[in-house]
Amino acid sequence: ENVTDLQWLILDHNLLENSKIKGKVFSKLKQLKKLHINYNNLTESVGPLPKSLQDLQLTNNKISKLGSFDGLVNLTFIYLQHNQLKEDAVSASLKGLKSLEYLDLSFNQMSKLPAGLPTSLLNLYLDNNKISNIPDEYFKRFTGLQYLRLSHNELADSGVPGNSFNISSLLELDLSYNKLKSIPTVNE
């Protein structure tokens, strides 16, 4: 109740579980900008979260379910790598995040690209999943995307439409460790 000006809360490398995190422990922190709960025993994302939050790190947990991130207008960075997320869990949760620029979903259990990701993304990391194809024009909506990592997936030529990477803003495209036999068209 007394730590109202707290801006960073770092709880990495503990034994935290969702059942032990009660009520509105985070949303009471109206100035909170960074919340890091990496290397714990979470099975779902924590919440409710304050609107002030900019940076959420929940890596190296056992998360398979994401709660709602509605109203988090300042949330710019989300780190969710090394969890147990599937694409459907991600699709439903991140839709309304208009300020989101950085999303790391590497080392999860996605077999498809999640639908409805925010178009504001500049960095999208999906490496080390089980993604085998890219829907036609999937990345077209991401007009500012600069860094895209899809290494260590199961992409083959048949799963990569010719226009997949026609993104003029792209600076880095990592497709290493896939099953490609030809180089996909970039910026045609």
Side-chain angles (χ1 to χ4, degrees):
E1 295 290 327
N2 294 333
V3 196
T4 52
D5 291 336
L6 191 68
Q7 293 191 12
W8 290 29
L9 179 55
I10 300 169
L11 297 163
D12 295 351
H13 293 279
N14 279 291
L15 303 171
L16 295 172
E17 297 175 20
N18 291 90
S19 60
K20 304 282 194 293
I21 300 172
K22 299 287 186 221
K24 299 187 174 182
V25 62
F26 301 118
S27 60
K28 285 183 209 164
L29 303 171
K30 301 290 185 209
Q31 305 301 316
L32 193 65
K33 289 183 170 47
K34 291 181 186 253
L35 177 60
H36 297 185
I37 314 179
N38 302 305
Y39 296 93
N40 277 278
N41 294 321
L42 300 177
T43 53
E44 55 189 278
S45 57
V46 295
L49 298 168
K51 287 185 179 6
S52 56
L53 197 67
Q54 297 170 355
D55 179 336
L56 178 62
Q57 295 189 17
L58 301 172
T59 73
N60 295 276
N61 280 285
K62 299 168 187 162
I63 296 172
S64 60
K65 184 174 174 230
L66 292 178
S68 170
F69 293 114
D70 277 357
L72 297 179
V73 292
N74 296 303
L75 194 53
T76 310
F77 303 94
I78 299 180
Y79 299 79
L80 288 165
Q81 63 268 36
H82 291 280
N83 278 293
Q84 296 167 13
L85 289 165
K86 291 187 165 58
E87 58 277 2
D88 293 344
V90 174
S91 298
S93 290
L94 304 178
K95 278 191 173 98
L97 297 175
K98 306 240 182 296
S99 298
L100 194 64
E101 294 180 357
Y102 184 104
L103 178 59
D104 193 336
L105 291 164
S106 55
F107 294 93
N108 274 286
Q109 296 174 3
M110 285 182 276
S111 55
K112 294 187 183 118
L113 290 167
L117 293 180
T119 56
S120 54
L121 285 170
L122 304 178
N123 302 60
L124 179 56
Y125 300 142
L126 293 158
D127 44 293
N128 292 278
N129 277 285
K130 298 175 181 126
I131 298 165
S132 58
N133 66 29
I134 298 169
D136 205 29
E137 300 192 341
Y138 179 86
F139 295 109
K140 191 177 184 178
R141 304 176 305 115
F142 303 101
T143 53
L145 192 64
Q146 295 178 340
Y147 300 92
L148 176 58
R149 292 189 187 155
L150 286 162
S151 62
H152 295 275
N153 275 287
E154 296 176 13
L155 293 171
D157 295 350
S158 60
V160 182
N163 60 355
S164 291
F165 306 112
N166 191 3
I167 314 161
S168 59
S169 57
L170 213 53
L171 300 175
E172 177 190 303
L173 175 61
D174 188 348
L175 296 170
S176 54
Y177 296 96
N178 276 286
K179 298 174 181 174
L180 298 171
K181 291 183 179 165
S182 62
I183 301 168
T185 308
V186 181
N187 284 346
E188 194 58 16

